[in-house]
Amino acid sequence: MSYPFGAVVGMDDMRLALLLNAVSPAVGGVLVRGEKGTAKSTTVRALAAVLPPVDVVLGCRFACDPAAPDPACPDGPHDPGAPGHTRPARLVELPVGASEDRVVGSLDLERALTEGVKAFEPGLLAAAHRGVLYVDEVNLLHDHLVDLLLDAAALGTAYVEREGVSVRHAARFLLVGTMNPEEGELRPQLLDRFGLTVEVAAPRDPAERAEVVRRRFAYDADPAGFAATWAAEEAGLARRIAEARARLPHVVLSDGALRQVTAVCAAFDVDGLRADLVTARAAIAHAAWCGRDEVTEDDVRVAARLALPHRRRRNPFDAPGLDDDTLEQALQDARPEDDGDPDEGDPDEGDPDDDGGGGGTPPPPSDGGGPDDHSRAEGDGPAPEDGQYRDNGSREAETGQAPERAAVAPADPFRARRLEVPGIGAGVAGRRSRARGDRGRVVGATRPTGAVTRLHLTGTVLAAAPHQVARGRTGPGLRIAREDLRQATLEGREGNLVLFVVDASGSMGSRARMAAVKGAVLSLLLDAYQRRDKVGLVTFRGTAAELALPPTWSVEAAAARLTELPTGGRTPLAAGLLRAHDTLRVERVRDPQRRPLLVVVTDGRATGARGGDHLGEARRAAGLLAAGDVTSVVVDCESGPVRLGLAGALGTALGAQTLRLEELAAESLAATVRSVREAA
């Protein structure tokens, strides 16, 4: 636990969170968030070395305790006092690409049907029982596997059920997940299932960074000698963990301390009661770790700082965090000596929610463009009130750069309609387009190419029925051979790559309209998050297009880039489409099974350097995308009484569906979006 990167910022919190879970696995595991290269994995792997060894029944694949064997153990039943041996606690690593059968174990359905034998091959949950289960890049793990892991960790039991054949076994382990937030967040409901969370980052102090490098070089030069240097400290940690475990059942959580726990959770307005339970368990574990027999305010404070930050996320674009002032105020308010008349106070003190009639968010500035906003020449810059040049082309000629307006904040997001890729894909599980995979509804049966994992019972019976006489069947039992078995074909939904191409040029008009456009894209990003898509962002303005965000799982990063996006300048539409074409071509090589969905957000104008057929170039670029069989949607942002229909023409060239801005919203919200558009 002490080597080799002790200088990483937040490492003390990470070390403490891991140790509290080692003392009391009931706390519920640890999620470690941090940038790459901060020794997250190294620290987790070091944890196994300081965990107390475990006694296991000899030959049991499920690590049963000889003193109290699991009566339902698939390798049992074991007699009390069965021969055993002592071994170190295991650290089991779960790869991101693991299948469900690899995680929970697999049943041999062929033997179950043909021989009547219940043959079970244990998975990683069985291997991790009474040890540590480590999931690196847990945010990239399929959601149904994360659900499965968290359910097993909460229940202490793993269940495997296939076509009426079921097996259960004990699965109590310390669950640790690490992740880089740049690659995407876990859903809030999954975040809530982790007991504690910590943030780590590389230190900025040169002396601390030098010490990290020095220790790393010492480890590389002599791993055994380096480990020996820290052996005494690790042995001390192991003893302290064992002592804290022995003390844990005797730690008292008084009514006063419990009131502080619940007051803190209420002050931060967390959902449900899991936060209260986890905070109380972590406070008890911290008291045991510190050698105390009763929970103190300091224990509650430490527990809250580890248990609550990730439970305050209300939507995918919120960052986890905890306000220290709110925490201290909640602890102070719950102290027994502070209990008093709740009506006491300054009668003249105003209601903090009363703004005297002048509060609220000020309305956005008027764009002043008037209804003939589009009557200006293509490529015109912002309206005069923005203090910019009206002739963007002249400005670009003078400076070589597109004039900018300050970034406009997006309008409030709304619930977007579902856009999907037609046909049936074979990508990873998600919630957007139809796909064949290992989850979903049964739509048919096929001959298996390997082991049967999803038996199609009706298809198997129909295949076996014509051969019963030839096989000598005389009784009621059905005689089934290997060639009769049929694998169920499942159809569900997949996640796609949603690549946004956003027009940020001056032709997009007023600030209010750009806010509505950003709000619409933000709504589509939120929809992509909910449907488990990868997202990317291409923007174009001035003289070029930019891949503002390469395809990633992090819709948070895409939302941040969108919010900060300035506008102004000419409209290099062809450059934006060509950059999208290049991005999708590279992604097809990296992730060939993930089908793309291109969303082009523009008014369809195309301008550039003086002269040239800019609209023709844009349509030729659109033809490249259409020839590549890319499913596209054009979001028409044109407004005003005079409409040129350029976005519709672009949609035709792309072979795309063209939607007006208000048509992106679900039916119940269309009127709201329409009013935003009209205000622009």
Side-chain angles (χ1 to χ4, degrees):
M1 290 294 291
S2 303
Y3 74 101
F5 304 114
V8 173
V9 177
M11 189 60 72
D12 287 342
D13 286 344
M14 178 180 176
R15 184 173 181 268
L16 179 60
L18 291 171
L19 291 171
L20 293 184
N21 274 270
V23 171
S24 175
V27 169
V30 184
L31 176 65
V32 183
R33 299 161 42 90
E35 59 196 27
K36 52 187 176 293
T38 49
K40 301 184 295 291
S41 300
T42 302
T43 306
V44 174
R45 293 186 180 110
L47 175 65
V50 298
L51 291 177
V54 294
D55 296 327
V56 299
V57 173
L58 195 62
C60 179
R61 297 175 297 168
F62 300 88
C64 281
D65 186 348
D70 180 7
C73 175
D75 282 354
H78 305 295
D79 296 329
H85 70 286
T86 301
R87 62 162 174 78
R90 288 176 179 164
L91 174 74
V92 176
E93 298 193 36
L94 191 154
V96 170
S99 66
E100 183 174 337
D101 284 347
R102 181 73 182 99
V103 175
V104 299
S106 58
L107 286 166
D108 192 334
L109 293 176
E110 181 179 346
R111 292 189 64 192
L113 288 174
T114 60
E115 303 175 25
V117 175
K118 185 188 291 187
F120 178 66
E121 184 64 30
L124 296 176
L125 294 183
H129 180 45
R130 305 177 67 196
V132 180
L133 181 62
Y134 172 45
V135 188
D136 193 14
E137 306 295 352
V138 65
N139 51 324
L140 303 184
L141 195 66
H142 291 173
D143 285 342
H144 75 280
L145 291 182
V146 179
D147 281 326
L148 188 153
L149 288 178
L150 294 171
D151 283 340
L155 298 173
T157 304
Y159 293 90
V160 186
E161 297 191 9
R162 297 286 187 274
E163 304 299 334
V165 181
S166 63
V167 172
R168 66 156 294 278
H169 64 83
R172 293 184 296 275
F173 49 82
L174 195 170
L175 178 63
V176 183
T178 57
M179 59 175 282
N180 182 350
E182 293 177 356
E183 296 172 342
E185 289 281 3
L186 279 172
R187 292 182 287 145
Q189 56 268 46
L190 294 181
L191 272 176
D192 182 61
R193 301 281 294 278
F194 277 94
L196 310 179
T197 186
V198 292
E199 299 270 351
V200 296
R204 298 297 179 254
D205 181 6
E208 291 183 355
R209 297 174 76 96
E211 179 61 20
V212 171
V213 175
R214 193 176 295 115
R215 292 189 188 185
R216 178 69 207 205
F217 280 1
Y219 175 80
D220 289 341
D222 183 9
F226 186 86
T229 302
W230 298 97
E233 183 171 338
E234 289 189 347
L237 275 177
R239 286 193 300 271
R240 189 173 173 186
I241 291 173
E243 292 168 358
R245 283 186 175 182
R247 184 180 297 109
L248 185 71
H250 308 291
V251 175
V252 175
L253 177 67
S254 65
D255 287 344
L258 178 57
R259 188 161 54 249
Q260 285 189 313
V261 167
T262 55
V264 167
C265 294
F268 286 106
D269 194 27
V270 295
D271 293 331
L273 293 174
R274 184 178 286 117
D276 305 66
L277 291 168
V278 170
T279 305
R281 288 168 178 160
I284 293 170
H286 188 261
W289 173 251
C290 294
R292 290 189 287 268
D293 294 325
E294 185 171 355
V295 173
T296 66
E297 181 177 305
D298 184 60
D299 298 320
V300 176
R301 180 182 292 106
V302 170
R305 285 175 174 161
L306 295 174
L308 298 185
H310 60 301
R311 293 185 164 86
R312 302 200 63 223
R313 290 186 74 211
R314 296 299 181 184
N315 66 63
F317 307 132
D318 290 341
L322 202 67
D323 180 64
D324 284 340
D325 292 339
T326 303
L327 174 60
E328 293 302 326
Q329 186 62 49
L331 290 171
Q332 178 180 334
D333 291 345
R335 289 173 190 157
E337 61 269 24
D338 290 337
D339 289 343
D341 185 354
D343 295 327
E344 289 181 0
D346 185 357
D348 296 327
E349 185 176 348
D351 184 347
D353 293 324
D354 184 5
D355 58 10
T361 304
S366 170
D367 61 272
D372 58 346
D373 184 50
H374 276 286
S375 64
R376 297 194 297 271
E378 289 182 12
D380 279 358
E385 73 276 10
D386 288 316
Q388 300 284 346
Y389 287 83
R390 178 174 289 276
D391 184 357
N392 280 354
S394 300
R395 178 64 170 168
E396 289 178 45
E398 293 175 9
T399 65
Q401 297 179 350
E404 289 187 0
R405 279 177 279 176
V408 179
D412 291 338
F414 50 82
R415 182 166 57 87
R417 65 187 292 178
R418 183 171 71 193
L419 307 175
E420 63 180 275
V421 179
I424 300 178
V428 298
R431 294 186 178 180
R432 184 170 298 280
S433 306
R434 295 171 59 195
R436 297 279 167 81
D438 58 0
R439 298 178 68 81
R441 62 188 180 89
V442 177
V443 294
T446 59
R447 288 180 177 271
T449 56
V452 178
T453 56
R454 293 288 186 276
L455 180 73
H456 193 285
L457 189 57
T458 303
T460 299
V461 171
L462 290 175
H467 308 290
Q468 297 306 296
V469 174
R471 291 173 184 169
R473 174 186 170 188
T474 57
L478 190 66
R479 295 198 172 185
I480 297 177
R482 172 72 178 84
E483 60 269 19
D484 300 329
L485 298 179
R486 295 294 182 269
Q487 176 87 0
T489 302
L490 306 180
E491 183 179 302
R493 293 275 173 179
E494 67 178 358
N496 298 109
L497 165 60
V498 182
L499 182 63
F500 294 93
V501 180
V502 179
D503 185 348
S505 67
S507 74
M508 294 294 282
S510 66
R511 292 174 60 86
R513 183 149 59 92
M514 195 62 201
V517 168
K518 286 188 175 183
V521 178
L522 192 66
S523 303
L524 291 172
L525 281 171
L526 182 59
D527 181 69
Y529 170 85
Q530 294 168 340
R531 299 190 187 282
R532 318 294 185 260
D533 296 316
K534 287 179 74 173
V535 296
L537 178 64
V538 172
T539 63
F540 59 94
R541 55 178 292 276
T543 59
E546 175 190 6
L547 181 59
L549 185 71
T552 176
W553 294 103
S554 180
V555 295
E556 300 84 357
R561 303 289 168 86
L562 177 72
T563 302
E564 297 164 1
L565 179 65
T567 59
R570 293 187 178 273
T571 314
L573 176 59
L577 297 176
L578 290 174
R579 179 58 63 93
H581 177 267
D582 291 343
T583 302
L584 294 177
R585 178 174 51 81
V586 172
E587 279 300 303
R588 277 200 180 97
V589 176
R590 291 177 176 170
D591 194 355
Q593 288 190 313
R594 187 176 294 276
R595 296 188 294 165
L597 174 63
L598 183 69
V599 180
V600 184
V601 184
T602 182
D603 57 9
R605 293 170 181 258
T607 60
R610 305 211 178 266
D613 181 12
H614 305 298
L615 281 174
E617 292 174 0
R619 286 170 185 160
R620 285 190 289 274
L624 280 176
L625 289 162
D629 197 25
V630 175
T631 300
S632 304
V633 174
V634 174
V635 179
D636 183 1
C637 300
E638 191 174 26
S639 64
V642 179
R643 297 179 183 273
L644 303 179
L646 297 175
L650 175 64
T652 300
L654 282 167
Q657 178 184 16
T658 301
L659 300 172
R660 292 173 59 181
L661 198 61
E662 63 267 24
E663 292 175 331
L664 286 176
E667 188 63 30
S668 59
L669 298 174
T672 302
V673 182
R674 191 177 299 112
S675 65
V676 172
R677 178 191 171 98
E678 290 170 355

